[in-house]
Amino acid sequence: MSAASQRPRPLPTPETQHFWDGLRRGELLLQRCGDTGRAYFPPRPFSPFTGTRDVQVFRASGRATLYSYVIHHRSAPGFTPPYAIAVVTLEEGPRLMTNIVDCPQTPEALLLDMELELAPTPLDEEITLPLFRPAGGGAP
Amino acid sequence: MIAPGSVAVVGAAETTELGIVPQLSEIGLAADAALNALADAGLKPADVDGLACVGNFRPQALAHYLGLTPRWVDGTGVGGCSFMLHVRHAAAAIMAGYCNTVLIAHGESGRSRVAGAPRPPEPGSLPGQFEAPFGPVGPPTLFPIPVLRWMKTFGVTEEEIAMVSVVQREWASRNPRALYRDPITVADVLNSRMIAYPFRILQCCVVTDGGGALVMTSADRARNFPQPPAYLLGSGESVEAQMISQMEDFTTSRAFRVAGPEAFRSAGVTHADVDHLMLYDAFAHLPLFGLEDLGFVPRGESARFVAERHTAPGGRLPVNTNGGGLSYTHTGMYGMFAIQESIRQVRGTAPAQVGKVEIAVCHGVGGMFAASGTLVLGRERPS
């Protein structure tokens, strides 16, 4: 992705800075509830399961499966249609919105439950986006 | 719990014009609808002592614009079903004695955008950080994201989902105020312009200008108005996640599953009692999720239920009889129009009247499965 990408740029907040710092190093950081041991997303300094502030940041595996998506056929700043807007299920449980790279943006190539891996993709010097690609590094 | 039928809708109207109305701003549309609803109830603005609204104008703006002095105000804004929540909250306020006569008003210049432009999410907000960078451009790119998962889970075909649009156009063809009235086929739906696979343009709502308003008061006063009352028998509300990516399960809406059963329980009615059903349809899968999550059909069977014409004209459960957001109108917050059709059906004055409607259920969604409100309305006050 070029530095000139017109994609909407996320603005980290104090509660999410660690997440974006991690991605800049190529790491996907999640948080875990100290009471239940369950991982959660998006970042916040307490558990959405119990309310405890006893939470830990940890590095996720980067493995995920494709939960669902749409393929957008109209233009959007920073994107060339058609492009898929996907939601993936991380191996640790949480889901996040992303794009699937290194893969044709077609229903034939984008199969639900297909295995994916993290593809950290710099947007600029500060922000690296957590995109995903088919596991094994290429199209099926 | 408020006893079923304790409050009633005694005034209901839409804007004088609906669809493409560039001559009015958003607040102007709300005021036009409000004056029409007050006239329907035989009231003047000075008779109103409670106000609820949502939109690009706040309650203080609309109150002053209309010349109201409310002693109860609700600006709950959870998206297009906010009006279902306003009705529910107004019922509580009337029963608490906070006010006697509530005006609930909606106006939105969704098509012409006169004083009402949408704004992208704040870059530091959670959607700004965790959804916007991945290319969604408004509801058509977000709301249908669960559809492929729902289809795979239950083995639903694109042809079956397409029937939602076909059936609702049949209803719209009976409604002179519907934006689109010409019949369409499953092939028309599937061959229409792709917007966000798997959804085509005919599976996305229309985009219009318009508004609507309601007047509510206690059941004890309700018979003193010119129109037959529509009694509020029960209601429910809930929220889930602002971001659709964080929705718990893409095959069922938690907000629907909280609001719907609460409405039935508080009304003391069962599904078999329901003569008429409105299911907010910004996109074609919403009536299907609604049928399932409100318990009208088992999960996974809604598309076939629609394809078998049970919700179509002549079917046993008429749904979205105004043509819905897909064909009738959709300003951006459609919930008010769903309620208007429920009121017309209960009064017996709908363009596509489905006979005598004793019990009507009206179910709304806000955001992308982010919020929900459900109303049960009745023609008679339970004794």
Side-chain angles (χ1 to χ4, degrees), chain B residues 167-234:
Chain B
V167 164
Q168 291 198 194
R169 186 61 64 84
E170 290 182 34
W171 284 115
S173 72
R174 291 158 166 77
N175 189 345
R177 266 167 66 98
L179 188 69
Y180 294 132
R181 301 180 58 201
D182 294 336
I184 52 175
T185 65
V186 166
D188 290 336
V189 175
L190 296 179
N191 292 328
S192 68
R193 183 161 55 93
M194 187 67 79
I195 299 295
Y197 172 85
F199 273 8
R200 286 81 168 173
I201 188 84
L202 288 177
Q203 295 169 301
C204 304
C205 67
V206 301
V207 180
T208 61
D209 308 321
L214 303 167
V215 180
M216 294 178 65
T217 194
S218 63
D220 296 336
R221 296 175 61 209
R223 292 214 168 274
N224 303 329
F225 292 85
Q227 302 291 340
Y231 294 96
L232 181 67
L233 305 183

Side-chain angles (χ1 to χ4, degrees), chain B residues 74-360:
Chain B
D74 183 9
T76 300
V78 293
C81 66
S82 297
F83 312 104
M84 282 78 174
L85 277 66
H86 293 163
V87 168
R88 178 170 158 90
H89 300 172
I94 290 165
M95 294 311 291
Y98 291 168
C99 52
N100 291 320
T101 306
V102 172
L103 173 69
I104 303 171
H106 165 60
E108 191 165 0
S109 184
R111 189 180 187 108
S112 302
R113 295 292 180 200
V114 183
R119 283 187 290 260
E122 194 67 34
S125 68
L126 295 173
Q129 292 185 70
F130 301 114
E131 289 197 334
F134 308 105
V137 186
T141 54
L142 288 166
F143 225 150
I145 288 178
V147 172
L148 288 179
R149 170 57 56 183
W150 179 80
M151 288 173 68
K152 178 171 179 175
T153 300
F154 297 118
V156 176
T157 67
E158 292 193 42
E159 287 74 13
E160 286 169 332
I161 297 181
M163 275 299 286
V164 173
S165 306
V166 171
V167 164
Q168 291 198 194
R169 186 61 64 84
E170 290 182 34
W171 284 115
S173 72
R174 291 158 166 77
N175 189 345
R177 266 167 66 98
L179 188 69
Y180 294 132
R181 301 180 58 201
D182 294 336
I184 52 175
T185 65
V186 166
D188 290 336
V189 175
L190 296 179
N191 292 328
S192 68
R193 183 161 55 93
M194 187 67 79
I195 299 295
Y197 172 85
F199 273 8
R200 286 81 168 173
I201 188 84
L202 288 177
Q203 295 169 301
C204 304
C205 67
V206 301
V207 180
T208 61
D209 308 321
L214 303 167
V215 180
M216 294 178 65
T217 194
S218 63
D220 296 336
R221 296 175 61 209
R223 292 214 168 274
N224 303 329
F225 292 85
Q227 302 291 340
Y231 294 96
L232 181 67
L233 305 183
S235 61
E237 67 186 273
S238 191
V239 294
E240 188 181 342
Q242 180 187 18
M243 295 187 284
I244 196 163
S245 60
Q246 300 306 311
M247 184 182 179
E248 191 171 70
D249 181 339
F250 275 12
T251 68
T252 174
S253 162
R254 192 188 77 190
F256 285 16
R257 297 195 320 273
V258 173
E262 174 75 5
F264 279 91
R265 191 180 66 79
S266 57
V269 302
T270 66
H271 296 84
D273 298 324
V274 177
D275 301 308
H276 176 261
L277 177 61
M278 294 300 290
L279 295 168
Y280 190 127
D281 59 322
F283 295 90
H285 58 311
L286 293 177
L288 303 175
F289 277 64
L291 284 168
E292 295 181 10
D293 288 337
L294 266 57
F296 285 95
V297 301
R299 289 182 60 197
E301 295 185 14
S302 60
R304 280 176 281 276
F305 187 78
V306 170
E308 289 164 2
R309 301 190 56 80
H310 296 305
T311 66
R316 61 182 153 103
L317 180 61
V319 175
N320 293 347
T321 49
N322 58 354
L326 294 177
S327 288
Y328 177 60
T329 206
H330 196 303
T331 54
M333 288 187 287
Y334 169 76
M336 175 56 77
F337 300 97
I339 300 171
Q340 295 286 337
E341 175 67 5
S342 295
I343 302 291
R344 286 190 292 262
Q345 290 284 350
V346 167
R347 287 179 174 182
T349 60
Q353 184 65 37
V354 297
K356 191 166 153 185
V357 172
E358 294 289 350
I359 305 285

Side-chain angles (χ1 to χ4, degrees), chain B residues 59-79:
Chain B
Q60 55 268 46
L62 186 61
H64 190 260
Y65 199 58
L66 284 168
L68 309 179
T69 306
R71 58 192 183 100
W72 174 83
V73 175
D74 183 9
T76 300
V78 293

Side-chain angles (χ1 to χ4, degrees), chain A residues 7-13 16 19-20 41-43 66-77 79 83-87 95-99 107 112-113 129-131, chain B residues 122-126 128-137 140-142 144-150 152 193-198 201 243-251:
Chain A
R7 281 188 190 229
R9 186 183 185 282
L11 182 65
T13 62
T16 65
F19 177 83
W20 295 108
F41 176 86
L66 182 56
Y67 187 50
S68 203
Y69 65 91
V70 293
I71 301 174
H72 190 209
H73 282 250
R74 297 180 298 178
S75 62
F79 292 83
Y83 65 95
I85 304 165
V87 173
R95 296 204 185 98
L96 49 78
M97 186 173 284
T98 187
N99 304 117
L112 295 200
D113 303 310
L129 294 175
L131 306 189
Chain B
E122 194 67 34
S125 68
L126 295 173
Q129 292 185 70
F130 301 114
E131 289 197 334
F134 308 105
V137 186
T141 54
L142 288 166
I145 288 178
V147 172
L148 288 179
R149 170 57 56 183
W150 179 80
K152 178 171 179 175
R193 183 161 55 93
M194 187 67 79
I195 299 295
Y197 172 85
I201 188 84
M243 295 187 284
I244 196 163
S245 60
Q246 300 306 311
M247 184 182 179
E248 191 171 70
D249 181 339
F250 275 12
T251 68

Side-chain angles (χ1 to χ4, degrees), chain A residues 39-113:
Chain A
Y40 65 85
F41 176 86
R44 74 206 83 163
F46 59 91
S47 163
F49 307 120
T50 69
T52 182
R53 295 169 197 268
D54 172 21
V55 299
Q56 301 94 39
V57 175
F58 72 100
R59 182 178 181 179
S61 70
R63 286 188 288 273
T65 54
L66 182 56
Y67 187 50
S68 203
Y69 65 91
V70 293
I71 301 174
H72 190 209
H73 282 250
R74 297 180 298 178
S75 62
F79 292 83
T80 305
Y83 65 95
I85 304 165
V87 173
V88 301
T89 306
L90 301 175
E91 186 176 56
E92 294 80 6
R95 296 204 185 98
L96 49 78
M97 186 173 284
T98 187
N99 304 117
I100 311 300
V101 297
D102 300 336
C103 181
Q105 304 291 287
T106 62
E108 294 72 27
L110 293 162
L111 301 175
L112 295 200
D113 303 310

Side-chain angles (χ1 to χ4, degrees), chain A residues 22-37:
Chain A
L23 278 165
R24 211 168 47 207
R25 301 188 303 268
E27 299 177 358
L28 181 65
L29 300 183
L30 295 176
Q31 286 166 300
R32 197 189 305 281
C33 166
D35 284 341
T36 65

